[in-house]
């Protein structure tokens, strides 16, 4: 026997381990010299601009090279934000998107290796959802970018609420039967706001596809109120015949429902970013964390109603009611006391805001008999930027304002004021240019209207 064969490092097992280590070293060198890959590109909710994309790569990238080598057509101003293998493509504020965007994606990683160039078609524009009278009932319909309307639900006797979920992957609907009982439904939607392209011309965007409505909860209810968030969670506040049958339950985007131990004096609203809810109470509003977070509760005293959220996390609009019957509009920001933006005797019936409250819109009603409807634009300090009387219109009761940052337009449902002794004119969807406040009727009869996010 050779003296070498008796050494501890000789034999089949050590040789196998040595070969495995050598193979791993070779594979590592090959991977280091392999070009980076785009692993995932997804639309995300934008808080500082009209739209954003999140890109995940196989290795850390050089943001400056992505900024220099990538391009958008039409050439909208944008920035690549972040560091490492996950970066954010964010469109600059105050830009209008009138058509799908062509993204030419290219750049280098930190080692200087080039990402294979790619072409993507990206359409971040939301679509309109509306509750439309159909025969003796009502139906949720969706407006495509070419102006066509398509139904996405059956015809129900009455539809009281419509709430987009997540990035537009579903819509929650509350229907009411002829007997006055309520049901909650989840309608899944399939959108394609982002598609890879070959060398040919960009194909026409595919229409939205709606699935069959899925019932939420067991049976019919005496009342039902819903609230959704960007995660796709749905909060259902409902009641049965008996007082002890009132419940507040959370239906997460993934997993089973859970009953929330909340006591509320009104409609509970989920925060758009998830994890918490705004709960109306007898002595004010409270912000409460939801499971699995540890219990935490912050209270804002006073007679206030939540009017709506801004796209930037933690910003919201409140309507405060004063003992002398005046109302005020307040902007809430994290860590700060509510900032009063407007106060007056008019009825404050609807609001909307952009980003963190840089611009805020308020619909005011004053007068009796033939009340006057006025739309006002404010900045975050309460300065009036613009004001317009919407002569000849009145707000459809129970509706509000919905803002689209990609087109800088507000969606609202208005009813033409009656002229003469004829039958009342039906309410219709009206788009309002957010800067000039010019109303543009769509000639579509509707009872509610809201923007559906594209992703």
């Amino acid at each position: 026997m050779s003296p070498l064969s008796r050494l501890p490092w000789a034999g089949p097992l050590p040789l196998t381990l040595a070969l495995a280590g050598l193979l791993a070293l070779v594979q590592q060198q090959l991977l280091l010299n392999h070009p980076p890959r785009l692993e995932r590109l997804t639309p995300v909710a934008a808080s500082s601009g009209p739209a954003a994309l999140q890109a995940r790569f196989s290795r850390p990238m050089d943001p400056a090279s992505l900024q220099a080598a990538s391009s958008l057509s039409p050439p909208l101003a944008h920035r690549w934000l972040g560091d490492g293998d996950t970066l954010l493509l964010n469109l600059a504020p105050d830009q209008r998107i009138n058509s799908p965007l062509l993204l030419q994606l290219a750049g280098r990683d930190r080692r200087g290796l080039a990402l294979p160039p790619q072409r993507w078609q990206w359409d971040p524009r939301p679509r309109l959802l509306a509750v439309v009278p159909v025969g003796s009932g009502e139906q949720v319909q969706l407006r495509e970018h070419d102006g066509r309307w398509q139904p996405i639900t059956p015809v129900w006797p009455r539809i009281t609420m419509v709430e987009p979920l997540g990035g537009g992957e579903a819509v929650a609907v509350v229907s009411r039967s002829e007997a006055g009982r309520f049901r909650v439904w989840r309608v899944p939607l399939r959108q394609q706001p982002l598609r890879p392209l070959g060398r040919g011309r960009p194909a026409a965007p595919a229409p939205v596809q709606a699935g069959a409505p899925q019932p939420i909860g067991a049976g019919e209810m005496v009342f039902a109120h819903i609230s959704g968030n960007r995660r796709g969670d749905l909060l259902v506040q409902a009641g049965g015949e008996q007082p002890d049958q009132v419940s507040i339950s959370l239906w997460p985007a993934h997993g089973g429902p859970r009953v929330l131990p909340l006591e509320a004096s009104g409609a509970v609203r989920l925060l758009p970013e998830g994890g918490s809810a705004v709960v109306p109470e007898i002595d004010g509003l409270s912000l409460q964390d939801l499971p699995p977070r540890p219990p935490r509760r912050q209270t804002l005293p006073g007679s206030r109603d939540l009017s709506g959220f801004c796209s930037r996390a933690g910003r919201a609009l409140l309507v405060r009611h004063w003992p002398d019957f005046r109302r005020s509009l307040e902007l809430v920001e994290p860590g700060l006391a509510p900032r009063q933006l407007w106060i007056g005797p008019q009825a404050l019936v609807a609001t909307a805001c952009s980003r963190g409250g840089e611009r805020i819109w308020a619909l005011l009603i004053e007068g009796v008999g033939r009340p006057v409807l006025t739309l006002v634009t404010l900045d975050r300090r309460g300065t009036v930027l613009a004001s317009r009387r919407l002569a000849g219109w009145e707000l459809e009761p129970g509706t509000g304002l919905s803002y689209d940052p990609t087109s800088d337009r507000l969606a609202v449902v208005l009813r033409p004021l009656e002229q003469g002794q004829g039958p009342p004119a039906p309410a219709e969807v009206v788009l309002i240019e957010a800067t000039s406040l010019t109303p543009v009727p769509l000639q579509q009869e509707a009872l509610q209207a809201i923007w559906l996010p594209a992703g």
Side-chain angles (χ1 to χ4, degrees), residues 344-407:
Q346 300 95 325
L348 183 54
V349 291
T351 62
C353 64
S354 70
R355 294 183 283 158
E358 282 74 11
R359 286 185 298 164
I360 295 163
W361 297 272
L363 267 176
L364 309 174
I365 296 179
E366 60 181 329
V368 294
R370 295 181 67 86
V372 176
L373 186 63
T374 302
L375 180 60
V376 176
T377 308
L378 307 166
D379 66 12
R380 59 186 301 106
R381 295 180 298 274
T383 303
V384 176
L385 303 177
S387 178
R388 187 184 188 103
R389 291 184 61 179
L390 301 178
W393 297 95
E394 61 181 348
L395 181 68
E396 177 69 5
T399 63
L401 288 170
S402 182
Y403 176 62
D404 167 30
T406 67
S407 64

Side-chain angles (χ1 to χ4, degrees), residues 38 127 192 232 306 408-409:
L38 175 67
R127 294 169 169 88
Q192 292 182 291
L306 174 64
D408 197 35
R409 294 182 298 181

Side-chain angles (χ1 to χ4, degrees), residues 267-343:
V268 179
R269 297 274 296 276
L270 292 177
L271 259 63
E273 57 271 20
S276 304
V278 177
V279 182
E281 300 176 343
I282 297 299
D283 56 351
L285 293 174
S286 69
L287 178 64
Q288 301 189 33
D289 287 349
L290 302 178
R293 290 183 176 183
R296 190 170 69 109
R297 182 172 176 271
Q298 304 174 60
T299 301
L300 180 64
S303 180
R304 291 178 168 93
D305 297 325
L306 174 64
S307 183
F309 295 103
C310 303
S311 58
R312 190 166 296 171
R315 276 72 173 179
L317 297 175
L318 305 180
V319 176
R320 185 170 186 178
H321 305 272
W322 294 87
D324 59 1
F325 302 105
R326 292 183 303 166
R327 297 169 182 85
S328 61
L329 178 63
E330 300 175 333
L331 174 64
V332 177
E333 300 177 278
L336 299 175
R339 179 187 304 160
Q340 182 173 289
L341 305 176
W342 172 91
I343 187 169

